[in-house]
Amino acid sequence: TTTHVVSWIHEGIPHLAAELLGIGFTSNLLLCAFNLLPLPPLDGSGLPLLALSPAAAEKYSDFMGSPGVQMIGLVVAWQIFGKLFPPLHHFAIGLLYPEAHYTF
């Protein structure tokens, strides 16, 4: 389903500005959420390094740096992200417009 983040009343420049604002919001949320997934080669895969000992962190980094693991990580991230993003998007819109009572 598509959700409009902003609305407009009249056509023209306000309509264009509303569309661009909505596209920018959704694009930034999408890129941020996708990149924070804890799968290699995405940035979220570095989160476990905060809790590991230096020796374990080095082994983890070596394992996550291998091309095969990175390819698998991207495929898995691509498959699960379609299920994760719609609720996240609706939650973010709910934070912007608490009175709107968005449901999904």
Side-chain angles (χ1 to χ4, degrees), residues 15-16 19 26-27 30 32 35-37 39-42 47-48 66 74 79 85 87 92 97 103:
H15 173 264
L16 176 63
E19 283 292 322
T26 301
S27 298
L30 186 137
C32 174
N35 199 33
L36 288 177
L37 288 175
L39 297 165
L42 305 172
L47 289 175
S66 68
L74 278 178
Q79 294 299 314
F85 185 71
Y97 304 111
T103 59

Side-chain angles (χ1 to χ4, degrees), residues 14-102:
H15 173 264
L16 176 63
E19 283 292 322
L20 291 176
L21 183 65
I23 290 168
F25 173 80
T26 301
S27 298
N28 278 299
L29 182 65
L30 186 137
L31 292 171
C32 174
F34 186 76
N35 199 33
L36 288 177
L37 288 175
L39 297 165
L42 305 172
D43 289 341
S45 67
L47 289 175
L49 295 173
L50 299 172
L52 296 175
S53 68
E58 186 175 336
K59 288 180 184 178
Y60 176 81
S61 293
D62 290 343
F63 176 72
M64 291 296 176
S66 68
V69 171
Q70 290 184 354
M71 185 60 72
I72 291 170
L74 278 178
V75 169
V76 170
W78 189 264
Q79 294 299 314
I80 65 171
F81 192 69
K83 293 170 183 59
L84 295 176
F85 185 71
L88 176 64
H89 190 235
H90 285 284
F91 175 75
I93 291 174
L95 290 176
L96 283 175
Y97 304 111
E99 306 86 28
H101 304 291
Y102 274 86

